[in-house]
């Protein structure tokens, strides 16, 4: 599957139960796709037992930032294993809080989506989360997407 090029997104959610002000959580994903236009549905694949999987089992609304090729540092930061707290990872990344989800949405992204979970499907060692798109934004305008191919971030030429 490493030979299948994929777009790169940052999936985010706000955990209101983590601390006095809650905490923002983020995860880089390449297993993200459009499912339906009517109704507007998307799908993201989450590793079972991951922090995002656990959070989205409880938190019904979440965000997606479709990253541009200039946002490789964002993707890499949220893909690190054994990383520091998400609060520190978000500290210097310009974001806007989603109006519907409360999730951080990355400034300069090609597009942002705010979603509500419609269905969760167990699939091997992952959970497929299908979300209804509630709001769409275009904070970064035009540009090229960040892509992932054969184990590396790439750009279109």
């Amino acid at each position: 599957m490493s030979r299948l090029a994929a777009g790169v997104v940052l999936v985010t959610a706000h955990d209101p139960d983590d601390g006095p002000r809650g905490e923002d959580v983020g995860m880089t994903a390449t297993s993200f796709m459009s499912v339906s236009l009517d109704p507007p549905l998307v799908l993201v694949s989450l590793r079972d037992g991951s922090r995002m999987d656990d959070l989205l089992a409880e938190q019904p609304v979440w965000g997606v930032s479709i990253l541009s090729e200039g946002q490789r540092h964002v993707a890499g930061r949220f893909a690190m294993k054994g990383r520091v707290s998400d609060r520190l990872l978000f500290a210097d990344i310009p974001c806007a809080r989603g109006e519907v989800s409360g999730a951080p949405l990355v400034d300069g992204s090609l597009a942002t989506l705010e979603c509500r979970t419609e269905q969760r499907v167990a699939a091997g060692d992952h959970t497929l989360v299908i979300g209804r798109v509630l709001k769409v934004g275009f904070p970064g305008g035009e540009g090229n997407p960040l892509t992932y191919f054969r184990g590396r971030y790439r750009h279109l030429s």
Side-chain angles (χ1 to χ4, degrees):
M1 294 308 295
S2 70
R3 294 176 185 260
L4 177 63
V8 183
V9 303
L10 183 67
V11 179
T12 56
H14 183 74
D15 183 356
D17 298 329
D18 192 348
R21 288 174 281 150
E23 184 174 10
D24 295 326
V25 178
M27 181 200 88
T28 301
T30 56
S31 295
F32 177 81
M33 62 181 280
S34 171
V35 173
S36 169
L37 292 176
D38 187 17
L41 300 173
V42 294
L43 177 147
V44 65
S45 179
L46 306 175
R47 183 178 38 83
D48 286 345
S50 68
R51 178 143 189 227
M52 188 61 72
D53 181 40
D54 292 344
L55 178 55
L56 293 191
E58 302 295 323
Q59 173 59 270
V61 290
W62 40 282
V64 176
S65 298
I66 299 174
L67 300 179
S68 71
E69 64 184 356
Q71 295 175 313
R72 179 185 298 202
H73 65 287
V74 175
R77 181 179 289 193
F78 286 91
M80 292 186 310
K81 295 195 186 320
R83 63 189 194 216
V84 296
S85 78
D86 284 14
R87 181 173 284 123
L88 294 176
L89 296 180
F90 277 109
D92 64 347
I93 295 176
C95 293
R97 187 134 330 257
E99 294 175 23
V100 176
S101 65
L105 302 171
V106 180
D107 292 351
S109 299
L110 295 179
T112 58
L113 310 172
E114 292 186 83
C115 305
R116 176 177 302 281
T117 299
E118 291 269 314
Q119 187 175 4
R120 293 174 54 88
V121 179
D125 60 358
H126 280 66
T127 301
L128 306 178
V129 179
I130 299 170
R132 179 182 295 259
V133 178
L134 304 173
K135 186 169 177 86
V136 176
F138 300 99
E142 296 298 314
N144 288 326
L146 179 60
T147 57
Y148 195 75
F149 178 70
R150 297 188 79 172
R152 294 180 34 211
Y153 296 112
R154 309 287 180 137
H155 69 276
L156 297 177
S157 55

